[in-house]
Structure formats: structure tokens, C-alpha cells
Amino acid sequence: MSHLLKLYLFAYNSLQAFGWTISLVRILSCFIATKSVIGAYASAGDLICLLQTCAFLEVVHGAIGIVPSGVLFPLMQWGGRTHFLLAIVRRIHEVQELSAVFITFFAWSLTEVIRYSHYALNISGGCPSWLTYLRYTLFIVLYPMGLAPGEMWLMYQALPYIKEKNLYGDFFASVPFSYYNFVTVVLLIYPFLWLNLYLHLFKQRRSKLGKQHHK
């Protein structure tokens, strides 16, 4: 890998780590100040939308081969999160103060602070072993936390609003498509799609921590 490419990847991952750190601090500061979880979106929603949109670059990185992640798993994760965030949470103001938003944002932010910091320090050649351990261990708790009481519960709570507002009905007026039915189907298949990602992370954990233990 060329020096310029390493510099780009280090900058990208460092900026993402910094952005998610700000998001985490804002979410926790709001929670401590108000003793309530309803302010998570107001405190960090716009920033998280920006960070998650920019994360499409990771799909591109895998597609052109500058990182070994491939395309499928980064695309699945990016697509699932971005749909949840931009198509549902950002569009339906009534769900933005639900506890599920706080749970999701907290799980995402903590996960990404660790993940992007790990990537950036790996590129620089100075990643401590404890950070590698956290990167491939905390997901065991944080991923299910973000999924069940976070993303899935919020999508379920959003269904009445989607139906009432006929969300995206005008956009799909010329085709036989119901966004309400689409989200219902997504809720049914979400656990199975998520399980593939989850098991993939366990394979990575065995590989990475096994190498670390051997060293």
C-alpha cells in the first residue's frame, strides 16, 4: 500500500473516530444533564446522519480493493443503518424522542469510536493490544443492544406513523409499492440478515485475537 493511500485511510478513520466521539459525548452529556433519554436525536442526530452517510466510502474502499473487507458485509451494514436513520428516524419526528433512539445511538457511537480508532492506529502501526481486544469483544454486547431494543423496536414503533402519513406514498405512486409493507418485511428478515453480520464478526474475532494470542 502506498504512503499516500495509507495517509488517506488514516485520515478517514481518524475523522470518523473523532466524529463518533463527539456524538457519544453529546448523547451522554444530554442524558446526564436532563436525566432523560429523549434528547439523543436532538443532541447528535444531524452529526450521526452525516457520519453514517460518509461511511458509504467503506463500501467503495472494499469494492476497489484498498481494504480487504470486500463489498457485501460493508454494504449490508451501511444499507441497514442508513435506511433506519435517514428513511425512518429523520423523516418521522414522532419517533425521534423514543428511548430506542438513545439505545441505538449509544451502541453505534461506542462501537464506532473503538472500531475507527482501531483502524487508524493499525494503519499507523501503533495499535495497543487492549484496543484490538475491545474491537473484537465489545460487539458481542453492543451489536445485539443496537439491534433488538434499538433499531428493530423503533421500526416497529414507527409502523403506525408510516401508515398514517402514507410515508413515501407520493414517491411510489406510479408503482404498486407500499413502504409500510416493505418495513414490515424488513422487520421479519432483519434478524436473519443481522445474524450473518454477527457470525462474520465472530469469525474475525477468532482470527484476530487468535493471531494476537499466538504473538
Side-chain angles (χ1 to χ4, degrees):
M1 186 183 295
S2 70
H3 178 71
L4 189 60
L5 195 53
K6 282 185 176 181
L7 185 62
Y8 160 73
L9 289 174
F10 177 77
Y12 169 78
N13 287 291
S14 297
L15 288 172
Q16 282 279 14
F18 180 67
W20 284 104
T21 299
I22 293 174
S23 296
L24 183 60
V25 169
R26 285 183 178 179
I27 292 164
L28 294 179
S29 296
C30 180
F31 173 71
I32 292 168
T34 63
K35 296 181 175 58
S36 172
V37 299
I38 66 173
Y41 187 86
S43 61
D46 289 341
L47 178 57
I48 290 177
C49 287
L50 174 63
L51 294 169
Q52 184 56 41
T53 302
C54 292
F56 184 73
L57 286 171
E58 292 162 45
V59 181
V60 177
H61 296 164
I64 62 179
I66 63 175
V67 295
S69 61
V71 177
L72 180 60
F73 288 112
L75 181 59
M76 286 175 63
Q77 179 165 322
W78 182 85
R81 280 189 176 189
T82 305
H83 168 255
F84 165 83
L85 188 60
L86 300 185
I88 298 177
V89 181
R90 191 172 178 85
R91 285 293 308 274
I92 305 174
H93 298 291
E94 292 87 346
V95 305
Q96 291 175 3
E97 294 187 347
L98 297 178
S99 60
V101 174
F102 174 85
I103 294 169
T104 304
F105 281 8
F106 174 77
W108 285 7
S109 297
L110 185 53
T111 298
E112 300 301 41
V113 168
I114 294 168
R115 184 169 75 97
Y116 285 115
S117 298
H118 174 263
Y119 288 162
L121 291 174
N122 253 342
I123 292 167
S124 68
C127 184
S129 59
W130 61 264
L131 184 59
T132 300
Y133 181 80
L134 289 178
R135 162 71 181 98
Y136 294 104
T137 301
L138 281 185
F139 80 87
I140 297 172
V141 175
L142 292 176
Y143 269 51
M145 179 192 298
L147 177 81
E151 295 175 56
M152 289 190 67
W153 179 233
L154 186 135
M155 283 193 284
Y156 176 76
Q157 290 177 294
L159 283 174
Y161 299 108
I162 293 172
K163 192 171 188 177
E164 178 188 339
K165 296 171 182 287
N166 190 25
L167 199 63
Y168 304 114
D170 293 339
F171 184 79
F172 293 110
S174 60
V175 294
F177 178 84
S178 165
Y179 185 67
Y180 174 85
N181 291 338
F182 171 76
V183 175
T184 303
V185 172
V186 167
L187 273 171
L188 293 175
I189 65 174
Y190 216 60
F192 303 101
L193 296 174
W194 172 85
L195 186 60
N196 284 329
L197 290 170
Y198 197 52
L199 295 177
H200 175 68
L201 287 172
F202 272 102
K203 290 179 182 178
Q204 285 188 324
R205 184 177 193 272
R206 285 193 296 269
S207 173
K208 301 294 184 180
L209 296 188
K211 290 177 182 178
Q212 188 181 56
H213 178 72
H214 180 70
K215 288 180 181 178

